[in-house]
């Protein structure tokens, strides 16, 4: 079998897994948790904001709730927010953006549950830190060390190596297409030089860097969009009408490449789900490292990350493109991905924006690499890795970042998608089975709020939980 045949087979499996099995399952689980939690993502939205604004610096020497949120945001908000949304509105028309909004609102409930479980079943790490995530709640909650190890290995390989390679591969392609004088290997060297010192410092260093980079990056991108919207304010109502009409296939001119409402739904749902990562089991690896007074607080914080990723950042990309009437036409071929987003920005603000966009995309990928390191490092620790193993993995990630810029990776792209899909399937089964723990923690949190108390979690002798949590974490 030739490499072309292997690539076609992997792409067929990838499309079937993502478009039908995993997308439908993620939506179903999101609806289930929205119902079971009483729409926690809506009724506790103000609590999310309050928790984020007051959580900086409160970590007792460990990783704060805000830092864990920033690490999750760093991994979520990447080149997919620039290129993935562009691909969605080309293939599915403006209506794809509507379905991205919808799945984000649903996915916030799933993200809440998995991140709450990461806190409930976390363990103590080194230097006042914690470790938690799917591998930990599979072992400590379901009692399955084997499946915990399977998840950990898959996460390290997919997130820590192949996702890094495909991210930097896309970055090198974008930069080389925009500025041909910059060779891909030069992009790789720059990434290694700025990434290696950070990841060798461990999770605390990564958390400190992402605490600054991730929020500023997202804010700068959204502010740029607000400027564009202000310059095109009279066209905004028409664009929003197009989004709604395209979502329900009400106007043929708004169809994407595949045509009709089905194209809008499939492209919007798929791109939305895998941009915000709700349910895939990646973000809980960051959520479980936070020092917080109650698991639900971190669940709410990470749920808010879905809102920021899709409702704010992905919408920003969508509006940049849809308002660029000369650059974007539904169903157009040729120009897509990050190049389309760059062209849309240039149409609005001028050709001088080329280099600022290149810098922005570079920072997006850099922050994603730090998020990938954090996710993977938690699983290296789960498998018994010590400080030297962490540093060795940091060097491996830097090497993968360089390799991604100079290699052609069509098969790796497909393998990465399949591996992430398998992570999602394992994680969804685990969080459904462990739902009573997350729902019990939420009831405990709500009852303390109703009593006028500051919620503090007790993992032993808690009447709302099915049992006791790990020793040495939630006693005090």
């Amino acid at each position: 079998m030739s490499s072309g045949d292997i690539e076609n087979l992997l792409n067929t499996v990838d499309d079937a897994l993502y478009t039908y099995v995993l997308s439908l399952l993620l939506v179903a689980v999101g609806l289930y948790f929205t119902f079971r939690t009483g729409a926690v993502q809506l009724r506790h939205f103000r609590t999310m904001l309050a928790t984020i604004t007051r959580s900086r610096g409160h970590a007792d020497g460990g990783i704060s709730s805000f830092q864990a949120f920033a690490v999750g945001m760093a991994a979520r908000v990447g080149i997919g927010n620039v290129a993935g949304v562009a691909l969605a509105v080309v293939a599915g028309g403006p209506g794809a953006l509507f379905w991205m909004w919808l799945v984000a609102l649903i996915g916030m409930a799933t993200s809440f549950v998995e991140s709450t479980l990461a806190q409930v079943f976390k363990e103590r790490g080194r230097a006042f830190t914690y470790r938690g995530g799917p591998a930990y709640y599979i072992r400590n909650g379901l009692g399955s060390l084997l499946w915990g190890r399977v998840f950990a290995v898959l996460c390290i390989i997919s997130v820590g190596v192949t996702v890094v390679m495909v991210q930097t591969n896309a970055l090198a392609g974008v930069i080389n297409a925009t500025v041909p004088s910059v060779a891909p290997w030069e992009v790789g060297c720059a990434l290694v030089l700025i990434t290696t010192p950070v990841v060798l410092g461990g999770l605390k260093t990564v958390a400190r860097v992402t605490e600054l980079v991730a929020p500023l990056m997202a804010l700068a991108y959204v502010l740029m969009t607000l400027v564009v919207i202000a310059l095109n304010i009279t066209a905004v109502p028409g664009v929003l009408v197009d989004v709604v009409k395209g979502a329900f296939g009400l106007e043929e001119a708004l169809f994407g490449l595949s045509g009709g409402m089905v194209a809008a739904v499939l492209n919007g749902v798929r791109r939305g789900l895998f941009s915000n990562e709700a349910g895939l089991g990646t973000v809980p690896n960051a959520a479980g490292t936070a020092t917080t007074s109650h698991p639900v607080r971190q669940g709410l914080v990470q749920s808010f990350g879905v809102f920021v990723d899709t409702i704010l950042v992905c919408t920003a990309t969508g509006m940049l493109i849809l308002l660029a009437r000369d650059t974007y036409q539904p169903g157009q071929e040729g120009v897509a991905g990050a190049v389309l987003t760059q062209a849309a920005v240039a149409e609005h603000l001028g050709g001088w924006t080329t280099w600022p966009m290149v810098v922005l995309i570079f920072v997006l990928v850099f922050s994603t690499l730090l998020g990938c390191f954090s996710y993977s490092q938690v699983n290296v620790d789960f498998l018994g890795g010590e400080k030297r193993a962490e540093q060795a993995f940091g060097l491996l990630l830097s090497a993968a970042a360089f390799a991604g810029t100079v290699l052609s990776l069509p098969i790796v792209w497909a393998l990465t998608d399949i591996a992430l899909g398998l992570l999602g399937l394992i994680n969804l089964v685990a969080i459904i089975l462990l739902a009573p723990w997350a729902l019990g923690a939420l009831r405990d949190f709500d009852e303390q709020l109703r009593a006028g108390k500051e919620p503090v979690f007790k993992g032993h002798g808690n009447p709302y939980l099915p049992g006791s949590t790990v020793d040495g974490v939630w006693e005090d």
Side-chain angles (χ1 to χ4, degrees), residues 296-450:
V296 165
R297 287 210 179 275
Q298 197 60 34
L300 293 173
V301 166
Q302 300 302 136
S303 178
F304 184 70
V306 176
F307 178 88
V308 173
D309 174 86
T310 305
I311 305 300
L312 297 184
V313 181
C314 287
T315 298
T317 300
M319 293 302 290
L320 286 171
I321 294 170
L322 297 178
L323 285 168
R325 298 296 191 178
D326 295 336
T327 301
Y328 167 74
Q329 295 296 325
Q332 67 187 16
E333 297 190 53
V335 180
V339 176
L340 176 59
T341 306
Q342 285 179 293
V345 173
E347 179 183 329
H348 293 303
L349 302 177
W352 67 270
T353 59
T354 298
W355 267 105
M357 279 298 293
V358 167
V359 172
L360 175 65
I361 292 171
F362 187 93
V363 175
L364 285 171
V365 171
F366 168 63
S367 67
T368 300
L369 298 189
L370 297 186
C372 288
F373 170 81
S374 178
Y375 292 173
S376 304
Q377 192 56 66
V378 167
N379 290 280
V380 170
D381 290 344
F382 179 84
L383 294 174
E386 296 296 332
K387 184 66 176 179
R388 288 184 180 179
E390 293 181 4
Q391 293 176 335
F393 177 73
L395 293 174
L396 175 62
L397 180 137
S398 296
F402 179 82
T405 62
V406 296
L407 298 177
S408 177
L409 303 172
I411 292 179
V412 175
W413 274 92
L415 285 172
T416 300
D417 276 353
I418 293 171
L420 287 174
L422 293 175
L423 282 183
L425 290 175
I426 295 171
N427 183 60
L428 289 173
V429 171
I431 64 176
I432 290 172
L433 293 175
L434 293 171
W437 290 86
L439 297 173
L442 178 58
R443 285 194 295 272
D444 176 59
F445 184 83
D446 286 338
E447 286 298 322
Q448 291 189 59
L449 282 183
R450 277 192 285 268

Side-chain angles (χ1 to χ4, degrees), residues 227-310:
V227 171
V228 171
I229 289 174
L231 295 173
N232 298 271
I233 193 65
T234 57
V236 171
V239 167
L240 295 177
V241 169
D242 286 348
V243 169
V244 175
K245 285 184 176 180
F248 297 98
L250 300 179
E251 188 172 331
E252 188 173 347
L254 301 175
F255 290 174
L257 288 175
S258 303
M261 179 179 171
V262 173
V265 173
L266 290 179
N267 284 281
V269 168
R270 177 171 175 172
R271 296 294 175 184
L273 287 171
F274 296 101
S275 173
N276 60 55
E277 300 183 36
L280 290 185
T282 50
V283 174
N285 292 291
T289 64
T291 301
T292 185
S293 61
H294 201 290
V296 165
R297 287 210 179 275
Q298 197 60 34
L300 293 173
V301 166
Q302 300 302 136
S303 178
F304 184 70
V306 176
F307 178 88
V308 173
D309 174 86
T310 305

